[in-house]
Amino acid sequence: MKSHDLLIVGAGLSGMRAALEGAKAGIDVAVVSKVHPLRSHSCAAQGGINAAIDARDKWEVHAYDTVKGSDFIGDEDAIDLMCQEAPGIIHEMDRMGTPFSRTERGDIAQRPFGGASFDRTCYAADRTGQVLLHTLWEQLVKAGVHVYEECHVFRLVTSADGHVAGLIVYDIKTGQLFPLRSKGVLLATGGYGRVFLSSTNATTSTGDGMACAYRAGAPLGDMEFVQFHPTGLRTSGILVTEGCRGEGGYLINASGERFMGRYAPQKWELASRDVVSRAEQTEIIEGRGTNGAIFLDLRHLGRERILERLPQVRQLAIDLEGVDPIFEPIPVRPTVHYSMGGIRTDKFGASPLPGLFASGEAACTSVHGANRLGGNSLLDTIVFGKVTGGHASQYVRKEGLRDFPPQAMQEEQARIADLKGRAGQGVRPFDLRNRMAEDMNTYCGVYREPVGMAKMAETLPGLRQDYDKIHLDDKSEPFNTDLLRAVELRNLMDLAECIVKGALAREESRGAHYRIDQPERDDVNWRKHTLAHWDASSETARLSYEPVRTVGNPEYTPKTRTY
């Protein structure tokens, strides 16, 4: 059985940055990724990465903007750490060779983003995630870090004493399972956007790391907080960056009215994402949209500026909507984008499960609280990739390999054999996932109400029963995507239950969680984190709560959030 000191699952920005920290520490570190690292979903991030690198800006102001954006439920110690580290991270990436856009003076260019009090979003046109990912990949290759490429983690394995023992991995190329032992595991597997029908996320964003950690005994935090990005393309849901509005783009309704002044009279289009998405949804519900969408108008920016700073957005609009934004507005709508919830950790990325760490979107550290500010996601991935990678590397230096229970492999092999061995005409994974995801969009969307959420909660047990009837058309071994979709669907269903139960229980509106029946924030009763625990006996979620981590800064005292 192969073994490593530290196994990192996920080869996006957070996973790669953590792996570099492991290599720097001199430990035996390896990365497991179900896609080639350069196909990781980090490459889809467009608009930029936040940092107070301008002499007129301060990390303390960035931190306050983040606390406010979180609707005062973000953990203040982690927020302070992220914003303090941000300038150094930008300069480090710059030295590694990231081709940031530049001002005429040669400084790293920064643009405005939503919810920020200063123009602090560093960018590379509208391909920021892609260039950061390629830069880190070069460093990973240079460091000689081993990558288990196109390998899907099916199970996080623990020893008899409850410590992480390693992973059970499915090699997509061969169709074979194999075990990997380690002293620690760091999950950097991204979000769960595919719980919903329409998402800006790639089809690989199925919450695998969260689900594996959850079933192994690690609690998930704040799963009810799901961000809807204001500008997904109407037809496909593919992301149109907030950078469009940072460059001066307008949101208009079917009458051509620039409507955000009625909802956010100070910041207009650059209010926080939850505010803008609710405003758009209101326009659509009240009949001022067209075919379920409103419009992003860039025409006044001019051809030269669009081609220089937003070339990818223009190409996506042309290819997928048949609209050239130089001449016509782009039809957009609120679309599931980001999971503020995830594997609950401290500010160093350590989970309550011994030997398990998490970073990036897979983690609930919680720097984003109930609503993430644009530009803070890329920052989160790299800052906490570095911080958590360093912390995990020091941890495994003091630990030994645990016994790897042989029954774990036997159980996973039996599960695959069962899925492949079912005869007759059953339920297809694709059809079942679409049923679940469509209901999640309907009942756990931008606006939520108790009857709808309760209906979703009542629907989930029936979906689980249908999962037991899943039939795979493909019985082969190499590149069996039918099997992968079935395994991913189980993960999505477990996470959907956490989202719904957390949303039903939270009787207030905060950030991205907006209840029509409880439209106000309730700091007395609900300024606390939801924890979802896997109950192995019933195979369902059990909820508990813990307080927000505060640092005693009076500036962070909750107040009415306006933009």
Side-chain angles (χ1 to χ4, degrees), residues 3 13 88 142 150-151 171 200 258 263 317 324 330-331 338 355 377 392 401 418 440 442 448 508 513 525 530:
S3 65
L13 289 173
K142 181 180 177 181
E150 293 186 318
C151 289
D171 190 332
T200 64
R258 187 183 172 198
Y263 303 93
D324 187 338
I330 307 170
Y338 190 85
S377 177
L401 290 167
D418 173 58
M440 287 295 291
T442 301
R448 299 169 174 177
E508 66 160 353
H513 172 66
N525 297 303
T530 306

Side-chain angles (χ1 to χ4, degrees), residues 20-50:
L20 288 178
E21 209 63 17
K24 179 181 175 182
I27 64 166
D28 178 4
V29 59
V31 175
V32 182
S33 177
K34 68 178 181 180
V35 295
H36 185 279
L38 293 181
R39 293 185 62 219
S40 300
H41 190 56
S42 297
C43 72
Q46 298 170 343
I49 176 171
N50 292 338

Side-chain angles (χ1 to χ4, degrees), residues 219-277:
L220 302 182
D222 292 342
M223 294 296 283
E224 63 267 35
F225 296 126
V226 181
Q227 182 167 87
F228 284 73
H229 196 286
T231 52
L233 289 174
R234 176 173 58 192
T235 304
S236 64
I238 286 176
L239 177 66
V240 177
T241 176
E242 191 167 315
C244 292
R245 287 171 282 135
E247 293 295 337
Y250 299 151
L251 293 172
I252 59 175
N253 58 27
S255 301
E257 175 199 8
R258 187 183 172 198
F259 58 83
M260 277 307 302
R262 288 190 274 111
Y263 303 93
Q266 297 174 6
K267 300 291 285 185
W268 288 69
E269 285 85 1
L270 291 178
S272 64
R273 288 179 176 174
D274 59 321
V275 172
V276 179
S277 287

